[in-house]
Amino acid sequence: MSTRELTFVQALAEALDLCMAKDPRVFVLGLGAPDAAAVFGSTKGLVVKYGPRRVLDMPVSENGMTGVAVGAALRGMRPVMTHVRLEFAMLAMDPMVNQAAKWHYMFGGQASVPLVIRMVVGRGWGQGPQHSQSLQAWFAHVPGLKVVMPATPHDAKGLLISAIEDDNPVVFIEHRWLYNIHGPVPEGIYRVPIGESKVLRRGRHITIAATSYMTLEAVRAADELAEEGLELEIVDIRTLNPFDETPLLESVRRTGRLMVADAGCRSVGFASEVVTRVVEQCFSDLKEPPVRITLPDLPTPTTRALSNYYYPLARDIAAAARRLAGRPPKPQPEIQPEDFLDVPDPTFTGPF
Amino acid sequence: MSTRELTFVQALAEALDLCMAKDPRVFVLGLGAPDAAAVFGSTKGLVVKYGPRRVLDMPVSENGMTGVAVGAALRGMRPVMTHVRLEFAMLAMDPMVNQAAKWHYMFGGQASVPLVIRMVVGRGWGQGPQHSQSLQAWFAHVPGLKVVMPATPHDAKGLLISAIEDDNPVVFIEHRWLYNIHGPVPEGIYRVPIGESKVLRRGRHITIAATSYMTLEAVRAADELAEEGLELEIVDIRTLNPFDETPLLESVRRTGRLMVADAGCRSVGFASEVVTRVVEQCFSDLKEPPVRITLPDLPTPTTRALSNYYYPLARDIAAAARRLAGRPPKPQPEIQPEDFLDVPDPTFTGPF
Amino acid sequence: MATVTGTPPPDVARQMLRSILRIRMVEERIRDLYADQEMRCPTHFSIGQEAVAVGVCAHLRRDEQVTSAHRSHAHYLAKGGDLQAMLAELYGKATGCASGKGGSMHLIDEAAGFLGAVPIVGSTIPIGVGAALASVLQGSPVLAVIFFGDAATETGVFHESLNFAALHRLPVVMVCENNLYSVLSPLSCRHPEGRAITQLAQGHGVWNRHGDGNDAEAVHALAGEAIAHARAGRGPAFLEFKTYRRLEHCGPLEDRHLGYRKPGEYEAWMARDPLKLYSQRLRARELVTSADLETMAREIAVEVEDAVTFARSSPFPTREQLAAHVYAP
Amino acid sequence: MATVTGTPPPDVARQMLRSILRIRMVEERIRDLYADQEMRCPTHFSIGQEAVAVGVCAHLRRDEQVTSAHRSHAHYLAKGGDLQAMLAELYGKATGCASGKGGSMHLIDEAAGFLGAVPIVGSTIPIGVGAALASVLQGSPVLAVIFFGDAATETGVFHESLNFAALHRLPVVMVCENNLYSVLSPLSCRHPEGRAITQLAQGHGVWNRHGDGNDAEAVHALAGEAIAHARAGRGPAFLEFKTYRRLEHCGPLEDRHLGYRKPGEYEAWMARDPLKLYSQRLRARELVTSADLETMAREIAVEVEDAVTFARSSPFPTREQLAAHVYAP
Ligand SMILES: Cc1ncc(C[n+]2csc(CCOP(=O)(O)OP(=O)(O)O)c2C)c(N)n1
Ligand SMILES: Cc1ncc(C[n+]2csc(CCOP(=O)(O)OP(=O)(O)O)c2C)c(N)n1
Ligand SMILES: [Mg+2]
Ligand SMILES: [Mg+2]
């Protein structure tokens, strides 16, 4: 197994390149897909290699273009559509949810829609109310859609390849604060199966199920708590639908304590589903009520003076874990309105 | 208090009439709003009384027309928009979720969007995959939207009046199988507050939280179980957002057993939120794991031979309650594919 | 393929008449049977509008693609969709073209090039365009014909699709059946006065024509031009045909008591019923005799009864089918 | 109000020049300050496009309504939006026009008739139409002017809104600033070759004109016609103005190194910079002297510095504000 390191976004670009090289049915479609910004670099070099027909720019017509992608998928192509913000896909709920998600079922299984819809979610630099929503809960509520949220470069590549090879519509949600993280990524084609949760880290005291970027925050919290002898077991829910609960249930049966970290709004969010599944099946194993770490039920404020308090951080996970384990709280420096919590790292200087 | 009886749909029509008579800012907007079918009768007589400008038909342009309604609401009107199927509102997620739900917040509270969006949900007579979805979970996940689902004629009128008088966007979801049920409806204007759950029936053994039509099925189940000495306490969640959990928690603390009945798909549905809230706050009171009664995670099949097995019925609620209470199961006649479970009553003969 | 104009050759003309008659007889039979309440799904009849489907589809190769919407019986049958599978679908049977999961609003016959019909207005327009795009990306362009009603031209997705089809000069023919109504709503509360539907296509720089949708040969001639245009790689073409719905918007009954139709309108259109018009014309042209027509009707009646028998005697899907086909394997 | 054509009266001309200069100076100042990384929100500059906003808004009464999109600084300022509140908003301060919750992409000044700007392309088009509808329903029509870019004409909602505005002859003027690009994508990968943007409006039967967006007086003249048309109750009007974005799509920097602009294009447009053009013209017409211009610049500089000081010295919203304003009371 290779120890070569790539960034998350490089891993995505490599997955697209490999799939396009291997399968002429695969093409990329999205606003600016072939341009110099290359969707944060994820489509870099593809247009030079495969030409503008297979790396297709489009009008600002998300609804129509998603329908076009559905039609192309029905006729033997495998489109990979990209939205640089999840919100832009909200224009396309009919083709995604009424058509793509149901086509196979409503026509008795004779046709299917092999379509990948990439959506960038995330935060930072004042993205604000209309450029930062993370609606994985919506898609995970729709039978017929698969919903994937990778948290590591390795999974980003392996899951994107699986998504492109899947004969069903797959919503592939990417958190932009993961784009620059490095990690080992094998060369060539490999697959991370859709529908498999993964235990990222073993621990005896508390099970934490996390999605996407919150997996990273969970790891940070786990590192901090490890020094205090409090062990988190981290289950990365890489696929939200179909949701593989087995490793999670197995873990909770050992730890008896559950936390769920998901960067969507709280009410009727994906975290509620995780809690419910566990409670239904591990009721007697639970020593304490499960704890949700989510966004509050608020729109996203633009000013960092407010967004600093909007996003849950590793320290919040750690604090909740201490409470859950009955450990004494640990004093933390107050977060200040001026603090620069609106960037993943100092290299990030906006304006996007 | 009046003992006059009206049907659910008559109660809606009366609410609209009273609000339009009282407030010139109120107008109705929707496909066929002024036509002879009058949105299942809910807008009956309004166009004669108030004219075609205040009972406005529209092009099949749900996205644009919802944006128009938002703009009109911002400039002092109080539009009541109607979709005869929830699916048609799926074209309008941007104006509803990005604009109406966030306008007040994202502009610092200076403007607001007093807009009611009625959506008909339901089932029957082969509505099939694209005419029967019940996506209350989506709307309840969106901060800034209020989500109302009345279950009785009394609440239909009182909640619609409250919704129209509310300064926020309110998603008002009506189950068509409730339209013909009768119930006492006071004359004149009265309000059922948005954001109040209601204990519909007292019982000692099991708490069941239900929404919309499932409240009716819960009552039927409760009647059946009462004869066996098993008492259900029914909490009607008339408002899903903001969700008033108080009477529910209070009830579970007494019964120690929770069931949730909601006619949306199971995963990441509203029922998950109810279970999670209760578990977070009544963990030690719960004697058994909570039970969800929902639609399966499947698209809606058209043929009754399959839809007969798709929708949970009072008998399913009763059976689950017996299990939950440790009572012996009661043999039930098998449902046959030919059975006519696709109509609320024999008067219902399609084709809609 | 050369541009088709003037009257079609005799065999084509006869074929078209037969096809119109067949669709009419199928739907009239469905009307009778609907009263039994065994076909339990929303059903939109094409009666009075058959000439559009027939005049257009007369040009199409089996592998060329067609999409439609909620009112799709005529398009499905004219394109060669399987009659037995359609009736079985309306009866909700396992042998239906969608295994009973779709019903009248969800017809499909991929073998016949009928890509699919679904009832969300406008939704199949980009899907048809996408089918054409796929064929172009695959290097062998295949025509896609997209049927929809006048109200579909009010949807944003119609314009988005037209713009994209024009941008890439895709082999698409859009066929708008303007029957003057959307459910009970007349054009006057949906379209600006004096703005023709073809003007919308013109706005996108798309080749367009309009004609009499109740005259099978007028449809056939214009469709021939449009299809030749699109097949030749000159980009999409748009056709509007004025026609008229005889029955209620959804369901088997007449609905004149509702009073939304203009006075005299119904009678005027019934006088121009496409079946009547075309059988008269072909009789006048001595391409068919009343005897021929009776033979046709007899043959079709047999075919329809066979299909009805097939549909009614077919089994319902089994309970296991409920959870099947959510995801492709 | 009578149709405005030809050159505007001297005072209006001077006012327009001053307004263009002011917008330019404000944005140039924002560019300098952006480097401090204290304005932390996506920011789209109007530099090079100011003449459209100014030429149109010169006609508007304060109570008439304007909407815009992601690139709204010029529209906000030209309509009389509060400069201090705008800068405070970019700094994320409590004194911002959206209390810091919106940022550059969410400007509003209801007192000035600036109904709002949001960054979902096309989304404010129906909202502007709805504002006009409200005024008509209220019995006292008020003009709504809707600003958007060339890419917004690709959205379905643009067409749905245009159709509805035309259907009800609403007092709406739509102003499309065609700066040739959507982010880095040229028109050629979004619009069919040879199809003018105004043709889309024509398709809906909507009155339309196009002109030079870098010539303040050309804009002013066409806007006068369009506004007179809409105010007179003759229905919506559509205007397309060709103009050019000098800076990167989003952010304060030049972006010529990206290579998406056609060779010579940038230089050609810079030679026709609206500020340069108009100041030259008014000097030639002897309506202003270089001395006047310096005075203007000095006054504006003071105003801008005051606003910057106000913004920087304003307090951040307090933590309690996070949960405030989700619902109106
Ligand atoms: C997006 C959407 N909105 C509303 C409806 C409800 N609806 C079903 S059929 C129909 C009328 C469509 O009229 P037209 O397109 O002219 O077709 P026709 O029924 O006249 O053949 C409407 C509005 C729908 N199916 N989809
Ligand atoms: C519905 C939607 N899709 C995509 C985007 C991303 N986006 C932001 S600005 C922009 C370009 C818009 O171009 P144009 O309308 O011409 O305005 P300009 O930036 O040129 O002023 C795009 C595509 C968006 N904001 N909304
Ligand atoms: Mg019609
Ligand atoms: Mg532009």
Side-chain angles (χ1 to χ4, degrees):
Chain A
M1 138 92 180
S2 147
T3 59
R4 177 190 65 151
E5 295 233 330
L6 290 184
T7 63
F8 191 95
V9 78
Q10 287 167 334
L12 292 173
E14 190 167 271
L16 288 171
D17 185 12
L18 289 166
C19 291
M20 291 179 80
K22 175 164 176 277
D23 185 345
R25 300 171 304 171
V26 178
F27 72 104
V28 170
L29 174 68
L31 291 169
D35 74 17
V39 189
F40 300 100
S42 63
T43 61
K44 199 152 165 216
L46 296 180
V47 67
V48 177
K49 210 159 159 187
Y50 303 102
R53 288 167 112 220
R54 290 186 67 193
V55 187
L56 200 56
D57 205 334
M58 64 180 221
V60 181
S61 309
E62 283 84 359
N63 188 14
M65 293 312 303
T66 306
V68 165
V70 171
L74 285 171
R75 294 294 295 162
M77 299 301 289
R78 305 185 84 83
V80 181
M81 196 166 189
T82 302
H83 300 286
V84 298
R85 294 289 184 285
L86 178 142
E87 278 84 354
F88 310 154
M90 292 169 69
L91 279 297
M93 288 302 105
D94 172 60
M96 286 181 62
V97 174
N98 292 332
Q99 312 310 335
K102 295 174 173 55
W103 203 274
H104 187 67
Y105 187 88
M106 73 188 168
F107 290 121
Q110 65 197 285
S112 67
V113 182
L115 167 64
V116 177
I117 302 185
R118 297 175 53 205
M119 299 177 195
V120 181
V121 297
R123 64 199 245 200
W125 205 269
Q127 290 303 305
Q130 298 184 346
H131 278 49
S132 63
Q133 292 170 86
S134 200
L135 296 176
Q136 55 271 27
W138 279 20
F139 302 116
H141 183 56
V142 176
L145 290 180
K146 296 187 177 184
V147 184
V148 172
M149 294 181 85
T152 68
H154 174 275
D155 288 355
K157 178 179 171 182
L159 278 165
L160 184 52
I161 291 169
S162 296
I164 292 170
E165 292 178 348
D166 199 289
D167 279 335
N168 298 283
V170 180
V171 175
F172 194 93
I173 301 178
E174 308 160 15
H175 194 293
R176 39 202 298 257
W177 279 21
L178 293 171
Y179 277 168
N180 295 325
I181 64 165
H182 291 259
V185 176
E187 315 259 358
I189 288 195
Y190 66 90
R191 295 156 188 91
V192 171
I194 292 176
E196 279 190 15
S197 303
K198 181 171 183 222
V199 177
L200 263 193
R201 175 181 185 128
R202 291 276 168 201
R204 289 173 301 139
H205 304 117
I206 295 176
T207 302
I208 178 162
T211 62
S212 188
Y213 182 74
M214 291 310 286
T215 307
L216 230 73
E217 295 283 6
V219 169
R220 293 179 184 133
D223 290 339
E224 181 181 336
L225 293 168
E227 294 163 13
E228 305 165 26
L230 184 57
E231 298 178 10
L232 295 191
E233 178 147 307
I234 302 173
V235 182
D236 181 6
I237 312 296
R238 304 178 295 187
T239 303
L240 282 65
N241 187 24
F243 170 30
D244 166 27
E245 51 196 19
T246 315
L248 179 63
L249 300 177
E250 186 277 329
S251 174
V252 171
R253 291 197 179 98
R254 280 187 284 98
T255 64
R257 289 182 168 78
L258 172 70
M259 292 173 63
V260 185
D262 175 67
C265 285
R266 188 174 191 78
S267 289
V268 202
F270 183 71
S272 316
E273 183 62 24
V274 177
V275 167
T276 302
R277 298 268 191 116
V278 169
V279 167
E280 285 172 337
Q281 299 167 82
C282 302
F283 186 70
S284 52
D285 304 297
L286 282 169
K287 303 191 187 84
E288 299 287 337
V291 173
R292 284 184 288 179
I293 308 284
T294 68
L295 300 187
D297 288 324
L298 307 169
T300 313
T302 296
T303 178
R304 74 185 196 277
L306 298 179
S307 67
N308 282 352
Y309 305 104
Y310 181 76
Y311 292 103
L313 307 167
R315 57 185 258 166
D316 303 307
I317 296 174
R322 292 187 190 97
R323 271 195 306 279
L324 186 55
R327 305 284 184 101
K330 213 165 148 211
Q332 306 262 19
E334 266 293 319
I335 289 172
Q336 300 306 319
E338 300 73 18
D339 293 349
F340 297 117
L341 305 182
D342 59 344
V343 289
D345 60 75
T347 71
F348 189 102
T349 62
F352 267 124
Chain B
M1 136 95 182
S2 146
T3 58
R4 178 190 62 151
E5 295 233 329
L6 290 184
T7 64
F8 191 96
V9 78
Q10 287 167 333
L12 292 173
E14 189 167 272
L16 289 172
D17 185 12
L18 288 166
C19 290
M20 291 179 80
K22 175 163 176 278
D23 185 346
R25 300 172 303 171
V26 177
F27 73 103
V28 170
L29 174 68
L31 291 170
D35 74 17
V39 189
F40 302 99
S42 63
T43 60
K44 197 152 165 215
L46 296 179
V47 68
V48 177
K49 209 159 160 188
Y50 302 103
R53 288 167 112 220
R54 289 187 68 193
V55 187
L56 200 56
D57 206 334
M58 64 181 221
V60 181
S61 309
E62 284 84 359
N63 188 14
M65 292 313 303
T66 306
V68 165
V70 171
L74 286 171
R75 294 293 295 161
M77 300 300 289
R78 305 185 84 83
V80 180
M81 195 167 190
T82 302
H83 301 286
V84 297
R85 295 289 184 284
L86 179 142
E87 278 84 354
F88 310 154
M90 291 169 68
L91 279 297
M93 288 302 106
D94 172 61
M96 285 181 62
V97 174
N98 291 331
Q99 312 310 335
K102 294 173 173 55
W103 203 273
H104 188 68
Y105 188 88
M106 74 187 167
F107 290 121
Q110 65 196 284
S112 68
V113 181
L115 167 64
V116 177
I117 301 184
R118 297 175 53 204
M119 299 178 194
V120 181
V121 298
R123 63 198 247 202
W125 204 268
Q127 290 303 306
Q130 298 184 346
H131 278 50
S132 63
Q133 292 170 86
S134 200
L135 295 176
Q136 56 269 27
W138 279 21
F139 302 115
H141 183 56
V142 176
L145 290 180
K146 296 187 177 183
V147 184
V148 173
M149 294 182 84
T152 67
H154 174 276
D155 288 354
K157 179 179 170 182
L159 278 166
L160 185 52
I161 290 169
S162 295
I164 293 170
E165 292 179 347
D166 198 291
D167 278 336
N168 298 283
V170 180
V171 175
F172 195 92
I173 302 178
E174 308 160 15
H175 194 294
R176 36 201 301 254
W177 280 21
L178 293 171
Y179 277 169
N180 295 326
I181 63 163
H182 290 259
V185 176
E187 315 260 357
I189 288 197
Y190 66 91
R191 297 157 187 90
V192 171
I194 293 175
E196 279 189 15
S197 302
K198 180 171 184 222
V199 177
L200 218 57
R201 175 181 184 128
R202 291 277 168 200
R204 288 173 300 137
H205 303 119
I206 295 176
T207 302
I208 178 162
T211 62
S212 186
Y213 183 74
M214 291 309 286
T215 307
L216 231 73
E217 296 281 7
V219 169
R220 292 179 184 131
D223 290 339
E224 180 181 338
L225 293 168
E227 294 162 13
E228 305 165 27
L230 183 57
E231 299 178 11
L232 295 192
E233 178 147 308
I234 303 174
V235 183
D236 180 6
I237 312 295
R238 303 177 296 187
T239 303
L240 282 65
N241 187 24
F243 171 28
D244 166 26
E245 52 196 18
T246 315
L248 178 63
L249 300 177
E250 186 277 330
S251 173
V252 171
R253 290 196 178 101
R254 280 186 285 101
T255 63
R257 289 182 168 79
L258 172 69
M259 292 174 62
V260 186
D262 175 67
C265 284
R266 189 174 190 79
S267 289
V268 202
F270 183 71
S272 316
E273 183 62 23
V274 176
V275 168
T276 302
R277 298 268 190 116
V278 169
V279 167
E280 285 173 337
Q281 297 167 83
C282 302
F283 186 69
S284 52
D285 304 298
L286 282 169
K287 304 192 185 85
E288 299 287 338
V291 173
R292 284 184 288 178
I293 308 283
T294 68
L295 301 188
D297 289 324
L298 307 169
T300 313
T302 296
T303 179
R304 74 183 196 277
L306 298 178
S307 66
N308 282 352
Y309 305 104
Y310 181 77
Y311 291 103
L313 308 167
R315 56 184 261 168
D316 303 305
I317 296 175
R322 290 187 192 98
R323 272 196 305 280
L324 185 56
R327 306 281 184 103
K330 213 165 148 213
Q332 306 262 20
E334 266 293 319
I335 289 173
Q336 300 306 319
E338 301 74 17
D339 292 350
F340 297 117
L341 305 182
D342 60 345
V343 288
D345 60 76
T347 70
F348 189 102
T349 61
F352 267 125
Chain C
M1 175 177 175
T3 302
V4 183
T5 44
T7 58
D11 56 331
V12 174
R14 267 190 227 95
Q15 230 348 290
M16 291 206 298
L17 176 58
R18 189 181 201 286
S19 183
I20 292 173
L21 176 63
R22 178 168 174 266
I23 294 167
R24 178 68 57 90
M25 288 177 68
V26 168
E27 288 205 310
E28 287 292 359
R29 189 71 181 103
I30 293 173
R31 289 186 68 198
D32 306 336
L33 294 163
Y34 204 86
D36 303 345
Q37 299 190 35
E38 287 178 22
M39 289 186 237
R40 300 168 78 90
C41 57
T43 304
H44 303 76
F45 292 79
S46 309
I47 292 177
Q49 310 185 195
E50 301 92 341
V52 178
V54 168
V56 171
C57 291
H59 295 283
L60 301 181
R61 297 195 315 259
R62 193 160 169 83
D63 67 310
E64 292 179 313
Q65 300 295 307
V66 164
T67 67
S68 180
H70 55 287
R71 193 180 309 285
S72 70
H73 296 175
H75 310 127
Y76 173 95
L77 292 171
K79 185 59 170 67
D82 184 306
L83 173 62
Q84 299 200 331
M86 170 181 150
L87 281 173
E89 190 58 37
L90 269 63
Y91 275 96
K93 299 302 183 74
T95 54
C97 59
S99 310
K101 284 176 169 171
S104 166
M105 302 195 297
H106 300 269
L107 298 184
I108 184 170
D109 188 336
E110 293 194 311
F114 192 80
L115 186 57
V118 299
I120 303 295
V121 169
S123 61
T124 43
I125 298 176
I127 290 174
V129 170
L133 173 67
S135 71
V136 168
L137 292 173
Q138 289 155 0
S140 52
V142 176
L143 180 71
V145 175
I146 304 168
F147 289 98
F148 50 84
D150 44 285
T153 64
E154 297 149 22
T155 65
V157 77
F158 162 71
H159 290 279
E160 293 181 346
S161 305
L162 209 46
N163 178 56
F164 185 75
L167 172 64
H168 291 283
R169 309 178 116 250
L170 297 175
V172 167
V173 173
M174 297 196 186
V175 181
C176 176
E177 282 177 33
N178 178 3
N179 63 6
L180 314 183
Y181 294 94
S182 169
V183 192
L184 310 184
S185 302
L187 283 166
S188 58
C189 57
R190 300 178 286 121
H191 297 201
E193 206 184 326
R195 194 268 291 143
I197 286 177
T198 48
Q199 199 175 331
L200 297 173
Q202 191 62 40
H204 290 280
V206 168
W207 186 99
N208 63 89
R209 298 281 187 277
H210 62 92
D212 177 357
N214 284 25
D215 177 341
E217 294 190 347
V219 172
H220 185 264
L222 286 179
E225 283 186 61
I227 289 167
H229 177 94
R231 281 185 184 146
R234 296 207 293 279
F238 179 92
L239 295 170
E240 175 206 1
F241 292 110
K242 289 230 172 21
T243 182
Y244 198 72
R245 161 171 56 80
R246 188 177 111 206
L247 304 178
E248 58 188 333
H249 164 68
C250 179
L253 308 177
E254 298 263 352
D255 71 353
R256 276 179 294 167
H257 62 283
L258 294 180
Y260 67 96
R261 301 173 188 253
K262 294 191 189 55
E265 186 183 78
Y266 179 90
E267 296 71 12
W269 280 97
M270 287 313 111
R272 307 196 58 262
D273 174 83
L275 176 58
K276 189 160 60 184
L277 280 187
Y278 204 43
S279 46
Q280 281 169 355
R281 187 181 305 168
L282 293 198
R283 281 230 293 283
R285 218 184 279 155
E286 291 177 357
L287 285 179
V288 295
T289 63
S290 4
D292 296 336
L293 279 170
E294 278 157 32
T295 323
M296 275 190 199
R298 219 173 312 106
E299 292 164 1
I300 294 169
V302 172
E303 183 196 7
V304 172
E305 281 327 297
D306 287 352
V308 170
T309 311
F310 170 82
R312 301 178 79 163
S313 59
S314 288
F316 277 116
T318 58
R319 183 172 183 165
E320 299 64 52
Q321 290 306 303
L322 175 62
H325 306 311
V326 182
Y327 294 100
Chain D
M1 176 177 176
T3 302
V4 184
T5 44
T7 58
D11 55 330
V12 174
R14 268 189 227 97
Q15 233 345 293
M16 291 206 299
L17 176 58
R18 190 181 201 285
S19 182
I20 291 173
L21 177 64
R22 178 169 174 264
I23 295 167
R24 178 68 56 91
M25 287 178 69
V26 168
E27 288 205 308
E28 286 292 359
R29 190 71 182 104
I30 294 173
R31 289 187 67 199
D32 307 335
L33 294 164
Y34 204 87
D36 303 346
Q37 299 190 33
E38 287 179 21
M39 289 185 233
R40 300 169 77 92
C41 56
T43 304
H44 304 75
F45 292 79
S46 310
I47 292 177
Q49 309 186 195
E50 300 93 340
V52 177
V54 169
V56 171
C57 292
H59 294 283
L60 301 180
R61 296 195 315 258
R62 193 160 169 83
D63 67 308
E64 292 178 313
Q65 299 294 307
V66 164
T67 67
S68 180
H70 56 287
R71 193 178 310 284
S72 69
H73 296 174
H75 310 127
Y76 173 94
L77 292 170
K79 185 60 170 67
D82 183 306
L83 174 62
Q84 298 200 331
M86 170 181 151
L87 280 173
E89 190 58 36
L90 268 63
Y91 274 97
K93 299 302 183 73
T95 54
C97 59
S99 310
K101 284 176 169 172
S104 166
M105 302 195 298
H106 300 269
L107 298 184
I108 185 170
D109 188 338
E110 293 194 312
F114 192 80
L115 187 56
V118 299
I120 303 296
V121 169
S123 61
T124 42
I125 299 175
I127 290 173
V129 170
L133 173 67
S135 70
V136 168
L137 292 173
Q138 289 155 0
S140 52
V142 176
L143 180 70
V145 176
I146 304 168
F147 288 99
F148 50 84
D150 44 285
T153 65
E154 297 148 24
T155 66
V157 76
F158 162 71
H159 290 278
E160 293 181 345
S161 304
L162 209 46
N163 178 57
F164 185 75
L167 172 64
H168 291 284
R169 309 179 117 250
L170 297 175
V172 166
V173 173
M174 296 196 186
V175 181
C176 176
E177 282 177 33
N178 178 2
N179 62 6
L180 314 182
Y181 294 94
S182 169
V183 191
L184 309 185
S185 303
L187 283 166
S188 58
C189 57
R190 299 177 287 122
H191 298 201
E193 206 185 326
R195 194 268 291 142
I197 287 178
T198 48
Q199 197 175 332
L200 296 173
Q202 191 63 40
H204 290 281
V206 168
W207 186 99
N208 63 89
R209 298 280 187 279
H210 62 93
D212 178 357
N214 283 25
D215 177 340
E217 294 190 347
V219 173
H220 185 264
L222 286 179
E225 283 186 62
I227 289 167
H229 177 95
R231 281 184 184 146
R234 296 206 293 278
F238 179 93
L239 295 171
E240 176 205 1
F241 292 110
K242 289 229 171 23
T243 181
Y244 198 71
R245 161 171 56 79
R246 188 177 111 205
L247 303 178
E248 59 187 333
H249 164 68
C250 180
L253 308 177
E254 298 264 351
D255 70 354
R256 276 179 293 167
H257 62 284
L258 294 181
Y260 67 96
R261 301 174 188 252
K262 295 188 188 56
E265 185 182 78
Y266 179 90
E267 296 71 11
W269 281 98
M270 287 313 110
R272 306 196 59 263
D273 175 82
L275 176 58
K276 189 161 60 184
L277 281 187
Y278 205 42
S279 47
Q280 282 169 355
R281 186 181 306 167
L282 294 199
R283 282 231 292 282
R285 219 184 278 153
E286 291 177 356
L287 284 180
V288 295
T289 63
S290 3
D292 297 335
L293 279 170
E294 278 157 31
T295 323
M296 275 189 199
R298 221 175 309 109
E299 292 164 1
I300 294 170
V302 171
E303 183 196 6
V304 172
E305 281 327 297
D306 287 351
V308 170
T309 312
F310 170 81
R312 301 178 78 164
S313 60
S314 289
F316 277 117
T318 58
R319 182 172 185 165
E320 299 64 50
Q321 291 306 303
L322 175 62
H325 306 311
V326 182
Y327 294 100

